[in-house]
Amino acid sequence: MDSSSIVCELEGTLLKDQDPFSYFMLVAFEASGLIRFAILLMLWPLIKILEITGQSDKGLKLMIFVATIGVKISEIEAVARAVLPKFYFDDINMDSWRIFSSYDKRIVVTKIPRIMVERFVKEHLRADDVIGSELVVNNSGFATGLTKDDFDSISEKVGALFDGETQPSLGLGRPQNGSSFLSLCKEQSHPSLMINKNQDQHHIIKPLPVIFHDGRLVKRPTPSIALLIILWIPFGVILATIRIVIGLMLPLWTVPYLAPLFGGKVTVKGKPPPPASTTNSGVFFVCTHRTLLDPVVLSTVLQRRVPAVTYSISRFSEILSPIPTVRLTRIREVDAQKIKRQLEKGDLVVCPEGTTCREPFLLRFSALFAELTDRIVPVAMNYRVGFFHATTARGWKAMDPIFFFMNPRPVYEVTFLNQLPVEATCSSGKSPHDVANYVQRILAATLGFECTNFTRKDKYRVLAGNDGIVSQNSGTNLANTFKKVVVGTFKLFIH
């Protein structure tokens, strides 16, 4: 289609769900806390009544007000950047996307505040522009909960965007919603009326996948899911406390056997190597990195405390760690000597991605491990949780294990691959980068993941706007660090 243009509605068209309530719940939880999350949920029956009585715009304004009033606009932007894209992506209507992506100029229209959708729509749906409501922000940078214009002005903005040009070729939206922008288009339709069964599925450009995302909630908080989360949290905190205390008090070898009694599960595949002997140097376990607990789970499976190489975690996390840690300085020569000395003492575990990734992708592997030993055992780590993610880029990392153990049935999967043959290591003349890439590929194949060239810096620049480096001086004063963690814990529930 030459010089073709499309104006498409987001809710109920590009996204399957026409109700944006769950996205405002995400903003309430991630940008503010549990109390605002609960208040918005309590107002859901009123919002539903307004919708049934034909006053859905008033219901939407109420959602916007409760979710954003008093919240820093920078926090809303952070949630829109790091949290919302994953949930939007999972709700994409592929029939709408096929039509939308086939046009040259693509405009998205939504009643949701533009700040909440613009990044996702432009980066993942490849839209040229997005027209939505605009939040009113005071001089201090806080949202007032109000919008600048009435929702009817969206149609005027569409007209202004095409001012002096031909009409948009197609308007895609919900006729029953009375979308006023549709009248500005040459043709008006809904995806259900335009499905082309003869369209070649292999030539459709897919939306850009979401590789990095943040936030604690695993599932999109629809009213029923949100209610279940709120009811579960008190039990989850108690259960997490019991699980952590038992795990710290009892020997490591008992943990896999006791985990099922408290709802957990550790699945082991493959055969781990025996412990290092006096005649052999230690084995370097090279693991995929899913959560902060990866080396701890590996130690429980091996039934011995295997030291873990750490790239950048807080001192407080190191102090609480049930296994020894070896902090790297990021000075290559110094780090190499540290690792060599540790391997002479025994086994060692490293996660060469340098940071966690939730999606089925592996980040680029650092090649340092390949330079230091030929005794490399790849280990594919993966986990499954139901309510809460056990990783964060923006929040308190010390809370990661607590959120993991707050899940009703956390599951860890550990797959030991065979030790690399000599011909696959640097001893046979291969470069460290070739070895690292090979290990990345076989681990990705084992898990059914895809390899990427993204790094830790890429992740943190996307999610947090920094390089993700934790200061080595952080946590020197244990009392101050503990105070920060406690305050952060309570802020999650009361802010």
Side-chain angles (χ1 to χ4, degrees):
M1 297 184 183
D2 296 330
S3 301
S4 57
S5 56
I6 183 172
V7 181
C8 185
E9 188 177 14
L10 183 66
E11 309 94 287
T13 303
L14 271 174
L15 300 182
K16 298 173 190 174
D17 195 346
Q18 62 184 10
D19 184 4
F21 178 79
S22 58
Y23 302 112
F24 288 104
M25 289 290 284
L26 284 165
V27 171
F29 186 87
E30 301 293 351
S32 183
L34 189 62
I35 287 184
R36 191 187 295 263
F37 183 77
I39 290 172
L40 185 54
L41 179 60
M42 287 189 290
L43 290 172
W44 177 77
L46 175 58
I47 294 169
K48 202 65 181 176
I49 290 172
L50 289 172
E51 181 184 330
I52 294 171
T53 57
Q55 303 179 77
S56 56
D57 283 356
K58 290 184 179 179
L60 179 56
K61 287 181 178 180
L62 180 58
M63 282 187 262
I64 295 173
F65 182 81
V66 175
T68 65
I69 183 174
V71 180
K72 278 190 175 182
I73 198 68
S74 60
E75 278 297 312
I76 299 174
E77 288 174 341
V79 172
R81 177 182 68 242
V83 180
L84 296 182
K86 165 63 177 173
F87 295 96
Y88 288 141
F89 188 87
D90 289 343
D91 196 39
I92 291 176
N93 184 328
M94 291 307 297
D95 292 330
S96 299
W97 164 252
R98 293 184 188 105
I99 300 167
F100 182 76
S101 62
S102 66
Y103 283 76
D104 297 322
K105 185 175 182 179
R106 298 179 287 271
I107 310 298
V108 171
V109 170
T110 177
K111 292 182 179 180
I112 298 173
R114 180 182 54 83
I115 191 175
M116 288 175 55
V117 302
E118 186 170 32
R119 186 183 183 95
F120 169 76
V121 165
K122 288 186 175 181
E123 293 190 3
H124 297 276
L125 299 185
R126 301 180 176 91
D128 297 294
D129 210 341
V130 55
I131 298 173
S133 56
E134 300 289 341
L135 290 176
V136 177
V137 182
N138 65 20
N139 294 332
S140 300
F142 290 89
T144 62
L146 306 176
T147 54
K148 291 182 179 179
D149 302 307
D150 197 72
F151 296 133
D152 294 335
S153 66
I154 290 176
S155 179
E156 298 174 7
K157 293 177 182 177
V158 174
L161 197 62
F162 286 88
D163 189 31
E165 300 181 16
T166 58
Q167 289 177 282
S169 305
L170 177 66
L172 205 59
R174 297 169 289 164
Q176 70 273 20
N177 193 42
S179 301
S180 55
F181 73 87
L182 293 176
S183 61
L184 303 175
C185 307
K186 292 179 182 178
E187 297 180 47
Q188 305 91 38
S189 190
H190 190 267
S192 60
L193 305 176
M194 296 186 62
I195 298 175
N196 185 357
K197 295 182 180 179
N198 296 321
Q199 193 171 13
D200 188 353
Q201 304 294 319
H202 297 288
H203 290 85
I204 295 174
I205 300 175
K206 295 182 179 180
L208 189 68
V210 177
I211 296 178
F212 303 124
H213 64 94
D214 204 19
R216 289 296 188 182
L217 299 183
V218 173
K219 298 179 180 179
R220 185 157 60 96
T222 59
S224 57
I225 295 295
L227 179 61
L228 195 59
I229 289 171
I230 290 174
L231 293 176
W232 173 255
I233 282 177
F235 298 100
V237 171
I238 296 171
L239 185 58
T241 303
I242 294 172
R243 285 167 168 168
I244 292 171
V245 169
I246 289 177
L248 292 174
M249 291 177 61
L250 296 181
L252 280 177
W253 66 268
T254 64
V255 174
Y257 302 101
L258 292 175
L261 298 177
F262 297 94
K265 184 179 180 182
V266 180
T267 302
V268 182
K269 298 177 182 178
K271 186 178 180 181
S277 64
T278 54
T279 57
N280 291 324
S281 63
V283 167
F284 213 165
F285 293 99
V286 179
C287 302
T288 55
H289 202 8
R290 308 305 284 172
T291 79
L292 191 66
L293 294 172
D294 292 336
V296 178
V297 173
L298 180 66
S299 289
T300 63
V301 170
L302 294 172
Q303 298 185 7
R304 59 183 186 273
R305 300 181 189 277
V306 180
V309 171
T310 62
Y311 283 85
S312 183
I313 65 172
S314 68
R315 291 290 189 190
F316 188 67
S317 296
E318 288 183 331
I319 291 168
L320 290 182
S321 174
I323 61 173
T325 58
V326 180
R327 176 184 282 269
L328 298 187
T329 63
R330 296 186 180 271
I331 302 172
R332 196 171 189 83
E333 295 76 14
V334 175
D335 292 341
Q337 289 302 317
K338 274 190 174 186
I339 292 173
K340 284 180 179 179
R341 285 197 298 270
Q342 190 62 48
L343 285 171
E344 290 172 0
K345 300 176 184 177
D347 297 337
L348 190 62
V349 56
V350 66
C351 299
E353 292 171 277
T355 188
T356 58
C357 183
R358 296 174 177 177
E359 293 302 295
F361 298 92
L362 293 186
L363 308 187
R364 190 175 74 196
F365 277 28
S366 167
L368 181 60
F369 73 89
E371 302 175 16
L372 305 177
T373 182
D374 295 335
R375 301 196 66 200
I376 299 170
V377 175
V379 184
M381 309 287 291
N382 203 4
Y383 80 111
R384 298 194 307 272
V385 290
F387 281 164
F388 307 107
H389 283 297
T391 60
T392 182
R394 298 170 51 248
W396 292 94
K397 295 182 181 296
M399 295 292 293
D400 288 356
I402 296 174
F403 274 103
F404 177 82
F405 289 115
M406 280 176 63
N407 286 284
R409 295 189 63 82
V411 176
Y412 240 101
E413 299 169 351
V414 183
T415 304
F416 290 94
L417 277 62
N418 293 330
Q419 181 175 318
L420 293 191
V422 175
E423 56 269 23
T425 67
C426 292
S427 291
S428 64
K430 292 186 178 295
S431 72
H433 291 288
D434 288 339
V435 175
N437 291 340
Y438 172 70
V439 174
Q440 184 197 36
R441 287 196 302 272
I442 61 175
L443 286 172
T446 301
L447 294 169
F449 289 3
E450 293 182 36
C451 296
T452 75
N453 279 320
F454 292 116
T455 65
R456 176 189 182 89
K457 286 185 178 180
D458 295 322
K459 170 186 168 179
Y460 278 88
R461 284 171 182 168
V462 169
L463 300 182
N466 59 54
D467 289 343
I469 305 299
V470 178
S471 172
Q472 292 190 24
N473 295 324
S474 64
T476 303
N477 188 319
L478 179 57
N480 288 340
T481 307
F482 182 75
K483 180 180 177 181
K484 288 180 182 179
V485 173
V486 172
V487 171
T489 305
F490 281 100
K491 281 177 69 177
L492 171 72
F493 297 102
I494 66 176
H495 181 55

